[in-house]
Amino acid sequence: MPEYPSLQKQLNNFKTSFAHITLSLANKKYRKLLKVPKHIFKERISICKDCERYVEEHHRCEECGCFVGIKARVGVEGCPLKKWSALTEDEISRV
């Protein structure tokens, strides 16, 4: 049985993600990061699937409780284990 974070922790993680997305919508420069390019998404998913905290049955991360396919698409989000990070200023300018 997967051991996800407590519901309170998952809710806090969701609120943080929602804040990142909302701030991105408010900043024209970051708006395009709401969906990363396909090659970055595939790279992130591959990293997650190789991680010991990935639950394939649910497509979720035991560390943060996220649905990996959603979190990996958002440019302003990063892995809580630092296996992949939010896009940097330089990466933003190249997207």
Side-chain angles (χ1 to χ4, degrees):
M1 184 99 186
E3 292 185 28
Y4 298 113
S6 69
L7 289 177
Q8 182 63 47
K9 177 69 174 159
Q10 289 181 61
L11 179 60
N12 287 341
N13 291 341
F14 175 78
K15 288 191 296 188
T16 300
S17 293
F18 186 78
H20 289 160
I21 291 168
T22 302
L23 290 172
S24 294
L25 285 170
N27 184 326
K28 192 174 187 176
K29 179 172 145 182
Y30 292 102
R31 251 180 243 152
K32 60 185 168 182
L33 294 180
L34 292 178
K35 186 175 179 186
V36 297
K38 193 178 228 175
H39 72 280
I40 293 174
F41 172 72
K42 286 182 176 183
E43 181 181 323
R44 288 176 171 190
I45 289 293
S46 176
I47 292 167
C48 290
K49 286 183 175 182
D50 288 340
C51 180
E52 65 282 352
R53 303 290 286 161
Y54 178 71
V55 180
E56 186 171 4
E57 180 182 358
H58 302 132
H59 306 287
R60 290 181 68 188
C61 173
E62 282 186 308
E63 187 68 25
C64 63
C66 77
F67 288 92
V68 173
I70 296 171
K71 188 169 191 169
R73 287 190 190 282
V74 182
V76 293
E77 287 294 308
C79 168
L81 297 173
K82 309 286 189 241
K83 295 188 177 196
W84 50 268
S85 60
L87 296 180
T88 65
E89 292 280 334
D90 289 340
E91 291 168 318
I92 292 166
S93 64
R94 288 182 269 154
V95 172

